[in-house]
Amino acid sequence: MPDLALVTGAARGIGRAVTEELLARGYRVIATARDPVALDDFAASVRGDPIETGILDVESPGVAEQVGRLIGGRPLSLLVLNAARFSPWDETVASADLTAARQVIETNLFGSWSVLRAALPALRAGRGTIIGVGSGSGSHGDPQFGLEVNPGAASYAVSKAALHALLHKLAGEVGADGVRVHVVDPGLTATSPGMEEMGARPVREGARSVLAPLDVTPFAAAMALTRDGRPLPW
Ligand SMILES: NC(=O)c1ccc[n+]([C@@H]2O[C@H](COP(=O)([O-])OP(=O)(O)OC[C@H]3O[C@@H](n4cnc5c(N)ncnc54)[C@H](OP(=O)(O)O)[C@@H]3O)[C@@H](O)[C@H]2O)c1
């Protein structure tokens, strides 16, 4: 039986490329997204591969039930927490619209928290791996977008720093159950128009960076924040 993976925000961008890569690696993938049309289009493009789809808005109150239903009591080998909301480049701590900022933190922190909590029994059963898609913008070590160097996209950076901390704490909590936790930065990736001109990498390369922890010795890199499989300071 193929290993089972669940990916959030799988219908486009890095999540879609991650799903394609997992299918290529022989996983059975539960691809989730909140847009049914985009999800159906994606599923049609990989027809023949072992893909299951499910509508999942990570902020919806019914996340726990939906995730449980999609997994259906099976052991889960991999959970990729990819879904996220961005904030404007020119949003600073001082200027941020707090309603919008709360929304970003709700999606990126609490949305991911809800999904991972719902998936934990299946991850424990499968001695599975959680890959949380973080960001250099929420780290102290990224020379271009890190917390100390880039004043913009404030709520996004804060949400990702909080996600890193959440997953760091979780790693300590579930390690004894054989569940591994990794936090990754895909690197600046061209998922929206104009990003290539900023030096962003192709989407497949960002997806490879997300899945790089699967290729290194298990546990050696646990609790690390990595880009392309190499540690990035928290
Ligand atoms: N691109 C980069 O340079 C970069 C750099 C560092 C980190 N990252 C991280 O990489 C991940 C993927 O980003 P991306 O560049 O591929 O962005 P993207 O193309 O905007 O994809 C984000 C995905 O998240 C989904 N999403 C947003 N809110 C959601 C919700 N409430 N419930 C379920 N899904 C939701 C979006 O779905 P809809 O289509 O429905 O909106 C979309 O599929 C994110 O975690 C991002 O923070 C990206």
Side-chain angles (χ1 to χ4, degrees):
M1 206 168 51
D3 284 342
L4 184 67
L6 188 149
V7 181
T8 63
R12 69 180 165 98
I14 293 168
R16 179 176 173 139
V18 161
T19 303
E20 288 168 343
E21 174 65 22
L22 288 172
L23 292 168
R25 287 175 182 229
Y27 281 81
R28 181 172 192 84
V29 185
I30 307 171
T32 71
R34 57 183 178 172
D35 177 351
V37 175
L39 195 56
D40 284 352
D41 283 354
F42 174 39
S45 76
V46 291
R47 208 190 308 277
D49 282 324
I51 189 166
E52 301 172 23
T53 56
I55 302 303
L56 185 68
D57 181 334
V58 301
E59 292 157 57
S60 77
V63 163
E65 293 72 24
Q66 275 166 288
V67 169
R69 191 171 40 75
L70 290 169
I71 295 173
R74 294 169 290 179
L76 190 64
S77 297
L78 178 66
L79 172 66
V80 183
L81 298 166
N82 166 78
R85 195 185 279 271
F86 292 89
S87 67
W89 284 104
D90 62 355
E91 180 203 51
T92 63
V93 170
S95 71
D97 166 349
L98 291 188
T99 304
R102 271 197 188 91
Q103 187 73 66
V104 170
I105 293 169
E106 183 66 36
T107 305
N108 300 0
L109 177 65
F110 289 104
S112 298
W113 197 336
S114 308
V115 173
L116 77 84
R117 204 157 65 162
L120 267 183
L123 284 160
R124 285 192 167 105
R127 298 179 75 78
T129 298
I130 297 171
I131 296 181
V133 184
S135 171
S137 66
S139 94
H140 297 279
D142 186 312
Q144 198 179 1
F145 298 110
L147 290 163
E148 284 85 1
V149 291
N150 175 28
S155 60
Y156 175 73
V158 167
S159 75
K160 290 294 183 176
L163 179 69
H164 299 169
L166 176 81
L167 294 171
H168 206 151
K169 280 191 79 67
L170 177 71
E173 203 175 310
V174 298
D177 301 332
V179 176
R180 296 190 292 273
V181 184
H182 296 275
V183 191
V184 295
D185 170 22
L188 186 65
T189 304
T191 50
S192 54
M195 288 187 77
E196 267 147 7
E197 290 78 77
M198 293 168 62
R201 47 172 58 181
V203 176
R204 285 199 175 283
E205 221 175 288
R208 271 201 298 276
S209 180
V210 169
L211 296 178
L214 298 179
D215 300 328
V216 298
T217 315
F219 289 108
M223 287 201 280
L225 167 63
T226 61
R227 179 189 295 152
D228 297 325
R230 288 185 292 277
L232 190 69
W234 292 99

